[in-house]
Amino acid sequence: MQNVFRHSSLQFQLTAVQINRILRANEQSVKIPEFDGKNLNPVLKFESNQLPANSPNEDRRSAATCLQTKGMMFGVFDGHAGYACAQAVSERLFYYIAVALMSQKNLEEIEFAMEHVKPVLPILQWYKPPNHYIYRESASLYLDHLRVFWQELIDHDNAEGMSTGDSLAYAFKRLDSDISLEAQVPLDNDIMRNMAIQVAFAGSTACVAHVDNIDLHVANSGDCRAVLGVQEEDGSWSSLPLTHDHNALNPSELARVRSEHPKLEENTVVTGNRLLGLLMPFRAFGDVCFKWSKELQQSILENGFDLETLDIYHYAPPNYLTPPYLTVDPELTYHKLRPQDKFLILATDGLWDMLSNDEAVRLVAEHLTGIHLEEPVAASERQVKLGQMHSLLLKRRARAVPSRDPNVATHLIRHSIGTNEYGEIEQVQLAAMMSLPEDLTRMYRDDITVTVVYFNSDLIKAHYKENNLRFL
């Protein structure tokens, strides 16, 4: 960190007001109606924020309510080799999931409306963040492929639609297949054609949560994370991870990748903790340069594309012998929400590079219970464990100071880049990290995207009581 300080001393020193303005520029806070007209909602509210390191930011985020089925969806998407793939996935994936969840009857109604050029019932209600934008040029292509998807689902003759877990898994794989196909088929529109190539050759990890009543499903491809914040009856807090990182630091994931290729590639498929020595995540959308054959890549890229203008720097990785090396297949987790499950943190690896699961839950718990309104921890409290949070709260009630961040996602981001070894904000360190020029920021941290979802504990508790009575 000393190098950061040394460099930043040459830069214009940001004031606290300027730091806050930057940190809060991408904030989002949404309170969810308790009753949506059909069902009581298990989500009270969610808060989200982003802090870019790349220019432009390669992370994306999405949140939406499924209008034709029950449930809400939240997602974070970490792009690499540019933002193109993360952007496309953030726009499209929720539609694929929602369509897979729909009943045969609803799908037939949508198809009838499309065929007869009638108004189509909306599928999703989006909660758009302040920096939201979409690929308008590709909207018609995206709708065409979504329609082919629901037509195939109609042909499957599944009256009730897929289960949530199957819908998540199928949607991930189908969207990735469509991304690959769109880069291969001829497109008349040059803008759409160039965009399809950019999306396919860039990549994106994804972590998506679907919440329906007390049923929480998480689908994860890559190294984003979903972590539950749990508060026991005695007030103690704990973190419950719902995902595993898909990278070389995960022994089972490393074994999986090696097992999918011949023995002679055992020492080359992962080198320097990267796939073929290049890619950190072992699961992702796009990244067709790790999925297609060399011959297919060459035939597509030699078809009149200006690769430099498209910012595609393609070369065959060493030891590229038995593709595909990369999959999008998500790891699925199901969790039945309990009254003690208070919130869910979804974040890209830019946050987890800086904070552990326990540290992130502690910071949100502080914010939720009011500790963030008080002055920094005393020396005797610095080594407090997560389970001792409740007693710490009681000790510090009297030492109140004004709140710094009303938005808990901003609270997490501020602490991830500005705290010392004791978890205290150091203004000099924070200013130094925020003052780095664009060309140096990526050397010290990644893009950070955080969404925190708060659950309706009273509703969840009522559900348990109701079911206990039912089974007596």
Side-chain angles (χ1 to χ4, degrees):
M1 192 56 66
Q2 289 179 347
N3 288 337
V4 180
F5 294 156
R6 187 178 304 121
H7 181 87
S8 66
S9 65
L10 302 176
Q11 305 297 314
F12 174 71
Q13 186 68 41
L14 294 174
T15 66
V17 171
Q18 291 169 322
I19 289 173
N20 286 342
R21 187 179 297 124
I22 296 170
L23 283 174
R24 296 172 180 173
N26 298 313
E27 283 184 337
Q28 182 184 24
S29 182
V30 178
K31 185 177 180 181
I32 306 300
E34 184 177 1
F35 184 67
D36 64 4
K38 296 184 293 183
N39 310 284
L40 289 171
N41 207 313
V43 174
L44 286 173
K45 65 177 181 177
F46 71 92
E47 295 178 340
S48 184
N49 200 358
Q50 291 183 306
L51 183 67
N54 292 290
S55 182
N57 188 0
E58 295 181 350
D59 281 2
R60 293 294 184 270
R61 54 185 162 160
S62 295
T65 293
C66 298
L67 295 176
Q68 304 304 316
T69 60
K70 294 192 298 181
M72 292 189 69
M73 289 186 283
F74 303 91
V76 291
F77 311 94
D78 187 352
H80 46 265
Y83 63 85
C85 190
Q87 175 64 35
V89 174
S90 71
E91 291 181 38
R92 305 177 68 184
L93 181 58
F94 284 10
Y95 280 112
Y96 279 66
I97 297 170
V99 163
L101 284 167
M102 288 168 63
S103 68
Q104 175 111 2
K105 180 176 179 292
N106 282 1
L107 290 173
E108 288 174 347
E109 288 174 353
I110 288 178
E111 175 58 23
F112 180 86
M114 287 287 292
E115 187 174 344
H116 294 84
V117 198
K118 294 179 178 292
V120 177
L121 289 174
I123 295 173
L124 296 171
Q125 176 188 338
W126 290 95
Y127 304 96
K128 297 177 180 178
N131 56 350
H132 171 83
Y133 67 95
I134 61 173
Y135 282 154
R136 297 188 184 280
E137 297 84 357
S138 296
S140 61
L141 176 68
Y142 292 171
L143 178 58
D144 287 345
H145 278 190
L146 181 66
R147 186 180 180 184
V148 170
F149 180 42
W150 78 54
Q151 287 171 339
E152 292 178 7
L153 291 173
I154 291 173
D155 291 340
H156 288 172
D157 197 24
N158 183 357
E160 299 303 318
M162 293 185 180
S163 68
T164 304
D166 287 347
S167 295
L168 288 163
Y170 196 29
F172 268 63
K173 289 182 278 191
R174 179 53 182 257
L175 175 56
D176 193 55
S177 175
D178 282 354
I179 287 171
S180 176
L181 177 64
E182 288 157 8
Q184 298 176 53
V185 298
L187 297 172
D188 295 333
N189 185 306
D190 285 345
I191 295 177
M192 289 171 55
R193 179 169 170 265
N194 290 340
M195 195 168 291
I197 285 290
Q198 284 182 304
V199 169
F201 277 87
S204 178
T205 63
C207 185
V208 171
H210 182 279
V211 188
D212 176 13
N213 198 358
I214 63 167
D215 297 318
L216 171 61
H217 290 82
V218 176
N220 184 53
S221 290
D223 47 13
C224 300
R225 283 186 206 166
V227 179
L228 268 178
V230 182
Q231 187 179 32
E232 304 300 342
E233 288 187 4
D234 64 0
S236 62
W237 288 90
S238 62
S239 63
L240 177 61
L242 299 180
T243 57
H244 301 94
D245 295 349
H246 299 138
N247 56 32
L249 301 181
N250 180 341
S252 63
E253 188 70 1
L254 184 60
R256 178 192 67 80
V257 171
R258 285 177 170 160
S259 72
E260 293 174 351
H261 300 276
K263 187 74 173 174
L264 62 89
E265 292 186 68
E266 184 176 7
N267 295 324
T268 59
V269 67
V270 176
T271 58
N273 284 339
R274 292 173 180 263
L275 192 65
L276 297 178
L278 296 173
L279 190 64
M280 286 287 286
F282 289 176
R283 305 191 195 196
F285 284 91
D287 284 316
V288 293
C289 53
F290 291 90
K291 297 173 180 175
W292 290 354
S293 69
K294 285 183 179 179
E295 294 75 20
L296 177 57
Q297 293 182 49
Q298 186 173 357
S299 67
I300 296 297
L301 292 176
E302 290 180 352
N303 195 23
F305 289 103
D306 184 346
L307 300 186
E308 186 173 352
T309 301
L310 296 178
D311 203 23
I312 296 175
Y313 300 96
H314 178 261
Y315 58 93
N319 304 299
Y320 195 80
L321 306 174
T322 55
Y325 288 90
L326 187 68
T327 182
V328 78
D329 290 2
E331 186 173 15
L332 302 175
T333 303
Y334 170 72
H335 178 80
K336 184 174 289 188
L337 288 173
R338 309 159 299 174
Q340 60 264 42
D341 299 326
K342 302 301 182 183
F343 55 82
L344 175 69
I345 306 172
L346 293 172
T348 56
D349 67 338
L351 183 81
W352 307 116
D353 289 342
M354 305 289 198
L355 296 175
S356 69
N357 294 350
D358 280 358
E359 287 170 332
V361 167
R362 174 180 62 81
L363 286 164
V364 178
E366 286 179 351
H367 200 275
L368 181 61
T369 56
I371 294 179
H372 77 295
L373 301 177
E374 298 157 13
E375 66 181 33
V377 292
S380 61
E381 299 168 339
R382 285 174 177 168
Q383 300 304 320
V384 66
K385 295 181 179 178
L386 196 59
Q388 299 169 318
M389 178 64 64
H390 187 57
S391 60
L392 174 61
L393 168 62
L394 297 177
K395 288 180 182 179
R396 293 170 56 202
R397 284 294 188 193
R399 307 200 300 262
V401 295
S403 170
R404 178 177 281 121
D405 292 313
N407 185 302
V408 72
T410 308
H411 185 70
L412 281 170
I413 293 173
R414 184 188 298 271
H415 279 264
S416 72
I417 64 172
T419 54
N420 60 22
E421 60 185 305
Y422 302 118
E424 301 168 338
I425 291 287
E426 283 195 0
Q427 196 65 22
V428 175
Q429 177 175 319
L430 182 61
M433 289 292 282
M434 299 291 291
S435 300
L436 288 169
E438 290 179 356
D439 59 335
L440 287 184
T441 302
R442 191 60 184 85
M443 296 173 60
Y444 294 93
R445 64 172 182 84
D446 199 355
D447 300 322
I448 302 174
T449 297
V450 184
T451 296
V452 180
V453 181
Y454 290 96
F455 298 118
N456 187 338
S457 297
D458 291 339
L459 176 63
I460 295 169
K461 195 177 300 182
H463 178 92
Y464 272 79
K465 286 181 179 179
E466 180 185 334
N467 280 273
N468 286 337
L469 289 172
R470 185 178 298 162
F471 294 119
L472 283 176

